[in-house]
Amino acid sequence: MSETNIAADLKPALDVAKIRQDFPILHQQINGKPLIYLDNAATSQKPRQVIEMVDKYYQEDNANIHRGVHTLSERATADYENAREKVRAFIHAESEKEIIFVRGATEGINLIAHSYGRTHLKSGDEIIISTMEHHSNIVPWQLLCEQTGAVLKVIPINVAGELIIEEFEKLLSPKTKIISVAHISNALGTINPIKTIIDRAHDHLAIVIIDGAQATPHTAVDVQALDCDFYVFSGHKLFAPTGVGVLYGKADLLEAMPPWQGGGDMIKMVSFEKTLYADLPYKFEAGTPHIAGVIGLGAAIDYVNAIGLDTIGAYENELLEYATIKSARMEDLRLIGTAIEKASILSFVMDNVHPHDIGTILDHEGIAIRTGHHCAMPIMAHFNISATARASFSFYNTFAEVDSLMSALEKAREVFA
Amino acid sequence: MFDLQDLYQEVIIDHNRCPRNFGKLENPTQAAQGYNPLCGDKLNLYLKMERGTVTDVRFDGSGCAISVASASLMTDTLKGMTLDQVEQLFQNFHNLIMEEKDPDKEQVEALGKLAALLGVKQYPARVKCATLCWHTLHSAMQGEKIATTE
């Protein structure tokens, strides 16, 4: 009974019941039970404000951008560029020129590895990543190392799943050219001390890329205050459509980088003798982009801003704390990732139930979680496991849903008792 | 709605809790590693064949209840079978687990204890958990075939 009391005492600063009305998908039954969506770190659900904006674009404004003189094209272009300004303000970039629309965080990292990496790295140079990176922040650098002869170095982590900063400092040397780390770990929830990392890296004249895929839905980002060189994130984790993301880069770095894809929209003039590339940000946006997705991302940012990331973050922290306390009462449950600074991700294993079986049993209860290696196999190896179950919370989740999660885990335990 | 007990039948729970033939086999004639990149499950299969007959088979590794129980049931079934019998059983099992329509009674009976795994049909995301050990077995046996033709 005490759990219920705790839940009642925590008066959230936001009206979750009202917010849930904005998310049509949440109001359905799965296997005869109300859907409880706890897979937000994989992708977030979309509020109707985003869905309606995408719908409106296709119903009323659909046209290609940056070329037509007709009204629809002008409308589409204005909405697309308006979204760019929203993104700029959202991450506090200095200029819209620094906001490149890509398919997602993965494409953003690949763009940097191709365009910046291939022109700036040579054999023997070093790239530093961390043990807790997503495969999207490992493999592009391995490919770059193969192509250039550069060497990949990895920052180790402690038992709580926190970066060991002293070890990071030991890795830094004049050979260090690129450091690329996650703002928040998708597998553990750890919030990394990226400001410290950026400052130390700059002492050694290395550039820093921050993978913000997990961070932007939970915490305010100020790329100028951070002084990061690049910052990437995905729209779909931020309540926007899939297939759209953002690469932020400092203008002087982007200016000096060659385009990575050629095509329409990224040129000023083309002849068979010479092609003049477009200015930023268009130099990196070859081909017709995901216009509806970009406009949807703008709407998602408006939605998040209306609630406020501080309010969202505070509420999600309460959810995480509540779930952490409740899970601690299950003796056969072990949390993977217990960093002091942690976002709303609860990754865990149970003694006698494999994560996959947990996932299936929870689905039976209408609860969606992620099970597996979370595209972070090195971190699984670090903890000597092959998979975890991961519940990740968003601001539309409730304390009652956390209670349901815990009851379902007890059910999972009973199946294998 | 599917009943969870169709998937986690008593046989499955039992074979997961106490997997038969679990552990490394010394001096196998064939061995293969099965790997499910989707979930990170790993399975090592060790096979001892004498004159075209399975005389011993063991496995180790880590996996979910379905994957462990499937490997346990498979190894329990294979001993004493000829290569052709194994191949036929694999095809039968694979067909039944992949087919959308309900299997007929005779086909299910031919599977024996393995029929306990058919509950997985209702969980498309879990079918690979049940077939991982069989694909690993197939790899191991193909290894032998290549060895005999050379």
Side-chain angles (χ1 to χ4, degrees):
Chain A
M1 294 307 284
S2 57
E3 286 87 355
T4 320
N5 292 338
I6 292 170
D9 287 345
L10 290 169
K11 290 191 187 74
L14 78 175
D15 188 345
V16 180
K18 186 164 167 282
I19 280 167
R20 290 179 69 83
Q21 290 306 314
D22 291 333
F23 291 82
I25 203 168
L26 297 178
H27 307 284
Q28 64 176 301
Q29 306 260 310
I30 299 288
N31 293 317
K33 309 272 171 58
L35 166 65
I36 296 177
Y37 186 78
L38 301 179
D39 196 15
N40 295 287
T43 197
S44 61
Q45 297 304 345
K46 321 304 174 199
R48 69 184 157 72
Q49 288 85 341
V50 169
I51 299 167
E52 283 168 8
M53 192 62 93
V54 171
D55 192 56
K56 177 191 171 291
Y57 166 73
Y58 282 123
Q59 298 258 12
E60 299 173 18
D61 307 323
N62 179 50
N64 214 326
I65 53 169
H66 299 142
R67 51 200 80 172
V69 293
H70 58 78
T71 304
L72 291 188
S73 177
E74 280 174 7
R75 266 194 231 151
T77 303
D79 288 349
Y80 183 86
E81 291 303 327
N82 193 22
R84 197 189 306 273
E85 165 54 24
K86 287 175 187 178
V87 172
R88 184 209 63 74
F90 184 65
I91 59 169
H92 302 90
E94 189 183 341
S95 160
E96 288 174 37
K97 289 195 306 187
E98 300 174 316
I99 306 299
I100 317 286
F101 288 120
V102 289
R103 275 194 302 148
T106 298
E107 189 172 80
I109 295 171
N110 277 280
L111 190 160
I112 301 163
H114 272 251
S115 175
Y116 183 92
R118 287 194 194 183
T119 47
H120 287 75
L121 267 72
K122 58 181 191 311
S123 182
D125 285 345
E126 292 178 357
I127 301 166
I128 299 177
I129 59 171
S130 89
T131 306
M132 67 175 86
E133 297 311 316
H134 189 280
H135 295 164
S136 61
N137 199 22
I138 301 174
V139 184
W141 304 117
Q142 289 174 326
L143 291 169
L144 181 62
C145 286
E146 279 174 23
Q147 288 151 0
T148 60
V151 179
L152 195 64
K153 299 276 172 177
V154 183
I155 310 169
I157 59 172
N158 63 22
V159 285
E162 296 162 319
L163 295 181
I164 305 172
I165 293 299
E166 304 81 64
E167 295 298 321
F168 162 64
E169 286 172 345
K170 285 183 204 160
L171 293 176
L172 288 164
S173 79
K175 290 179 185 169
T176 311
K177 294 292 183 283
I178 293 176
I179 291 146
S180 190
V181 290
H183 191 165
I184 295 177
S185 156
N186 74 307
L188 305 173
T190 311
I191 303 173
N192 286 320
I194 53 170
K195 181 59 185 157
T196 305
I197 291 169
I198 291 162
D199 290 346
R200 297 284 183 288
H202 286 168
D203 291 344
H204 288 79
L205 306 177
I207 62 139
V208 182
I209 299 145
I210 302 296
D211 171 4
Q214 293 296 334
T216 45
H218 306 293
T219 186
V221 172
D222 184 331
V223 291
Q224 290 188 80
L226 286 170
D227 196 27
C228 58
D229 300 285
F230 295 98
Y231 194 100
V232 299
F233 65 96
S234 297
H236 73 95
K237 295 195 201 285
L238 187 65
F239 319 104
T242 55
V244 64
V246 172
L247 160 65
Y248 157 82
K250 283 181 181 167
D252 57 338
L253 291 172
L254 291 172
E255 298 275 12
M257 284 159 56
W260 84 304
Q261 287 179 342
D265 231 21
M266 54 75 72
I267 46 85
K268 279 180 178 163
M269 195 271 293
V270 175
S271 73
F272 288 116
E273 287 71 38
K274 184 164 176 57
T275 290
L276 281 179
Y277 304 129
D279 293 329
L280 291 176
Y282 311 110
K283 183 170 89 174
F284 291 105
E285 293 183 3
T288 299
H290 186 5
I291 304 168
V294 166
I295 292 169
L297 175 58
I301 288 173
D302 285 344
Y303 185 82
V304 166
N305 284 341
I307 300 168
L309 271 169
D310 289 346
T311 309
I312 288 172
Y315 176 71
E316 288 173 349
N317 281 345
E318 286 178 7
L319 276 179
L320 177 69
E321 201 182 323
Y322 183 61
T324 306
I325 290 168
K326 287 205 81 171
S327 64
R329 293 179 196 162
M330 295 181 69
E331 282 177 7
D332 50 354
L333 184 150
R334 178 164 63 105
L335 292 181
I336 304 295
T338 49
I340 295 166
E341 295 293 327
K342 202 177 155 185
S344 56
I345 286 172
L346 199 73
S347 212
F348 58 92
V349 292
M350 287 174 79
D351 283 346
N352 297 314
V353 197
H354 189 276
H356 263 185
D357 299 307
I358 297 175
T360 294
I361 294 166
L362 261 53
D363 183 57
H364 251 264
E365 300 299 311
I367 303 172
I369 61 158
R370 172 77 190 270
T371 63
H373 52 57
H374 316 295
C375 297
M377 291 169 85
I379 199 87
M380 298 294 121
H382 174 84
F383 284 100
N384 199 22
I385 48 181
S386 62
T388 77
R390 180 189 70 186
S392 48
F393 308 103
S394 187
F395 58 88
Y396 43 66
N397 291 125
T398 67
F399 291 90
E401 288 181 326
V402 175
D403 290 341
S404 300
L405 168 69
M406 296 303 160
S407 308
L409 291 177
E410 278 167 20
K411 199 164 274 184
R413 177 205 284 154
E414 281 164 24
V415 170
F416 289 91
Chain B
M1 189 187 142
F2 307 126
D3 192 341
L4 206 51
Q5 276 163 6
D6 289 344
L7 181 65
Y8 296 112
Q9 295 182 25
E10 200 50 50
V11 179
I12 306 279
I13 301 288
D14 174 47
H15 277 257
N16 174 55
R17 192 183 294 133
C18 318
R20 323 293 196 266
N21 309 304
F22 190 83
K24 206 168 157 42
L25 178 66
E26 295 304 325
N27 308 316
T29 51
Q30 283 104 328
Q33 189 174 63
Y35 185 66
N36 186 346
L38 282 177
C39 58
D41 282 359
K42 272 182 208 153
L43 183 105
N44 297 301
L45 192 79
Y46 314 96
L47 200 59
K48 197 172 270 181
M49 305 276 300
E50 282 169 32
R51 289 185 295 277
T53 301
V54 179
T55 55
D56 204 358
V57 52
R58 294 178 73 78
F59 77 101
D60 61 19
S62 70
C64 64
I66 303 301
S67 138
V68 170
S70 181
S72 174
L73 285 161
M74 180 187 83
T75 51
D76 227 16
T77 311
L78 293 183
K79 272 181 229 175
M81 282 191 171
T82 65
L83 216 62
D84 288 347
Q85 287 170 324
V86 171
E87 185 63 30
Q88 200 176 350
L89 183 64
F90 170 69
Q91 291 304 339
N92 191 18
F93 178 73
H94 198 258
N95 290 345
L96 285 186
I97 217 157
M98 302 303 284
E99 263 177 19
E100 274 183 36
K101 67 179 180 67
D102 285 336
D104 63 51
K105 215 174 158 192
E106 259 176 46
Q107 286 175 302
V108 175
E109 275 170 9
L111 280 185
K113 276 187 294 188
L114 296 177
L117 288 158
L118 291 179
V120 85
K121 282 166 72 81
Q122 283 151 357
Y123 301 82
R126 303 298 302 275
V127 167
K128 279 185 181 159
C129 307
T131 55
L132 175 65
C133 60
W134 287 92
H135 288 295
T136 313
L137 172 73
H138 221 240
S139 302
M141 294 202 315
Q142 272 180 342
E144 194 222 29
K145 275 176 191 163
I146 292 164
T148 49
T149 49
E150 281 176 354

